Amino acid sequence: MTAEQSPEPAEASPVDERLPFTSMMLLALQHALVMYAGVIVVPIVVGTALGLSAAEIANLVSTDLVLAGVGTLLQALGLWKFGIRMPLVVGAASSGIVPMVLIGQNQGLPTVYGSLLVAGVIWVLVAPYFSKLLRLFPAVVTGTVITLIGLTLIPVGVRLIAGSDPSDPDYGRLSHLALAGFTMASMVVFRRLFRGIAGQLSILLALVAGAIVGWSTGVGSLAHTGAGPIVGMMSPMHFGALQFHLPSILLFLVIVFVLMVEGAGQGLAVGEVVGKPVGPDDIARLLRVDGLMTALSGVFNGFVYTTFGQNIGLIALTRVRSRYPVALVGVLLLVLGIIQPVGRVAAAIPEPVIGAAAVVTFAALTVSGIRILSRVDFDRSSNLMLVMLSLGIGVIPAYAPRFYQQLPTMAEVFFKSGVATGTVLAVVLNLVFHARRRDRNTARIPAD
């Protein structure tokens, strides 16, 4: 090859730009604050719904932060075939709450974590082939499923505010309703008054304000946050030896497929924001990380993990596209997870405050699904029928928890998850109506 034919060195991508350490630390802190509320809400909601002690919930928060930190480091820096090497963060998926609570209440936490291990391993194995499955999840299916997840989760937040037993004399206690209302109002005020990153932190700021008001008025307490070790983590398989239950595994696999669709979308979105093409291999590396962290959760008492999307908006806002500040976010999460008092303070946040944040967060998830559905052609009666049936049947367990109690146990476990029922129904109806049509809304991953 002659000198004229020698290729010019490729221009370095902004994703690989190395910034001054001080700037990277400030940017990392900003990213961590944006995602922090979303990370800690899931373990608190799950732990509270399952009746775990404050100490166990604190340990769940710590474990969650550590696993999220490891996942974020892998996505930002990459290791072998794991990690997209983009500025993406990883955290516990809110859509995993329903199966964890449902299976935990009926089968116990050992079954939850056995199911997570299997689902995570399958996630890693199918990641390279997932692009072939995307045709099963056109916009009409994905939008329906995400909307259904949000609608199913909102009652979880409501129960944290009002209580789970309507016959309890304290159900709907006015002080709890007032505290939740104050927390929601604070979100509005902070969002209206603040601009930029401060406005994006409105939920986290409202959580802090609500917690302070709750503690000062006797709702919740910080009395036990000083007890226990300063540094440490929950032991592996803390809740007992793993158990494997096929219907429970299938429930988590439904969530996994939905999260794979979302994860592929996050990968494509961040590629557009940072100006770097994303191909099938990149998506496979991204999905392998989510699957690996979910599999590790089966052993270390974690959750279903996914690549978060809210930080992509922060990248677009700041126009800083380097992946290294996000790698530092992973380090920050690891440190916060190992320092035990952080988890204990998070677990001490009053339930009405967490419930208010949960209602708003899950409503935002519902809106995300509605936005996807807004791209669907509802002049086609088949699309309308698909959404009507999937949503209508999928929300039944949320409104009538005992609706399926006469079914055999295995069937009841599956049908009690409205998300599982609605997702399977949406996929089947899409195949019935559109099997011979190429849906224009089908998600596609561009070739390299």
Side-chain angles (χ1 to χ4, degrees), residues 213-355:
V213 171
W215 292 328
S216 62
T217 57
V219 183
S221 172
L222 287 169
H224 302 291
T225 56
I230 301 298
V231 176
M233 280 188 63
M234 186 183 292
S235 59
M237 290 187 283
H238 173 81
F239 297 100
L242 302 183
Q243 297 180 13
F244 303 96
H245 182 237
L246 183 58
S248 300
I249 293 170
L250 292 176
L251 282 182
F252 276 111
L253 286 178
V254 170
I255 300 299
V256 163
F257 281 118
V258 173
L259 290 175
M260 290 180 83
V261 174
E262 292 182 17
Q266 309 292 18
L268 295 173
V270 76
E272 292 180 3
V273 170
V274 303
K276 185 176 181 179
V278 172
D281 289 342
D282 300 303
I283 297 298
R285 289 196 297 270
L286 179 151
L287 296 176
R288 284 192 190 100
V289 170
D290 293 345
L292 175 63
M293 304 321 300
T294 300
L296 290 175
S297 294
V299 178
F300 295 101
N301 317 297
F303 302 87
V304 182
Y305 285 89
T306 186
T307 299
F308 276 15
Q310 55 261 50
N311 291 67
I312 298 175
L314 183 57
I315 296 168
L317 180 68
T318 62
R319 297 184 180 180
V320 177
R321 295 172 282 183
S322 173
R323 58 195 170 108
Y324 294 107
V326 173
L328 281 178
V329 173
V331 176
L332 285 175
L333 293 174
L334 280 169
V335 172
L336 291 173
I338 294 172
I339 300 175
Q340 288 280 305
V342 173
R344 291 197 287 269
V345 170
I349 298 175
E351 287 186 11
V353 175
I354 293 297

Side-chain angles (χ1 to χ4, degrees), residues 145-430:
V145 172
I146 294 174
T147 302
L148 180 58
I149 291 172
L151 292 174
T152 303
L153 287 172
I154 288 173
V156 176
V158 172
R159 286 192 289 271
L160 287 173
I161 297 171
S164 57
D165 184 4
S167 64
D168 190 327
D170 279 339
Y171 182 82
R173 191 173 178 179
L174 291 180
S175 60
H176 288 194
L177 301 185
L179 181 57
F182 169 79
T183 304
M184 290 184 182
S186 298
M187 296 177 195
V188 176
V189 171
F190 290 136
R191 186 66 183 180
R192 178 66 182 85
L193 293 180
F194 298 147
R195 295 287 183 268
I197 183 62
Q200 290 183 325
L201 297 177
S202 57
I203 293 179
L204 182 62
L205 295 173
L207 275 172
V208 173
I212 292 173
V213 171
W215 292 328
S216 62
T217 57
V219 183
S221 172
L222 287 169
H224 302 291
T225 56
I230 301 298
V231 176
M233 280 188 63
M234 186 183 292
S235 59
M237 290 187 283
H238 173 81
F239 297 100
L242 302 183
Q243 297 180 13
F244 303 96
H245 182 237
L246 183 58
S248 300
I249 293 170
L250 292 176
L251 282 182
F252 276 111
L253 286 178
V254 170
I255 300 299
V256 163
F257 281 118
V258 173
L259 290 175
M260 290 180 83
V261 174
E262 292 182 17
Q266 309 292 18
L268 295 173
V270 76
E272 292 180 3
V273 170
V274 303
K276 185 176 181 179
V278 172
D281 289 342
D282 300 303
I283 297 298
R285 289 196 297 270
L286 179 151
L287 296 176
R288 284 192 190 100
V289 170
D290 293 345
L292 175 63
M293 304 321 300
T294 300
L296 290 175
S297 294
V299 178
F300 295 101
N301 317 297
F303 302 87
V304 182
Y305 285 89
T306 186
T307 299
F308 276 15
Q310 55 261 50
N311 291 67
I312 298 175
L314 183 57
I315 296 168
L317 180 68
T318 62
R319 297 184 180 180
V320 177
R321 295 172 282 183
S322 173
R323 58 195 170 108
Y324 294 107
V326 173
L328 281 178
V329 173
V331 176
L332 285 175
L333 293 174
L334 280 169
V335 172
L336 291 173
I338 294 172
I339 300 175
Q340 288 280 305
V342 173
R344 291 197 287 269
V345 170
I349 298 175
E351 287 186 11
V353 175
I354 293 297
V359 168
V360 172
T361 302
F362 302 150
L365 189 63
T366 305
V367 172
S368 297
I370 294 172
R371 289 180 62 184
I372 295 174
L373 289 175
S374 68
R375 305 199 303 264
V376 174
D377 180 10
F378 282 110
D379 288 335
R380 292 171 60 178
S381 59
S382 58
N383 286 333
L384 184 60
M385 182 66 69
L386 185 155
V387 177
M388 286 166 45
L389 287 174
S390 301
L391 287 182
I393 294 175
V395 298
I396 286 176
Y399 290 96
R402 299 182 180 180
F403 189 85
Y404 296 111
Q405 66 179 3
Q406 299 295 331
L407 293 176
T409 302
M410 291 181 64
E412 182 188 4
V413 170
F414 179 80
F415 282 102
K416 280 182 71 173
S417 171
V419 174
T421 308
T423 300
V424 171
L425 185 57
V427 170
V428 170
L429 289 175
N430 179 63

Side-chain angles (χ1 to χ4, degrees), residues 430-439:
N430 179 63
L431 291 174
V432 169
F433 287 126
H434 306 139
R436 296 186 178 182
R437 300 176 183 177
R438 189 177 185 88
D439 196 311

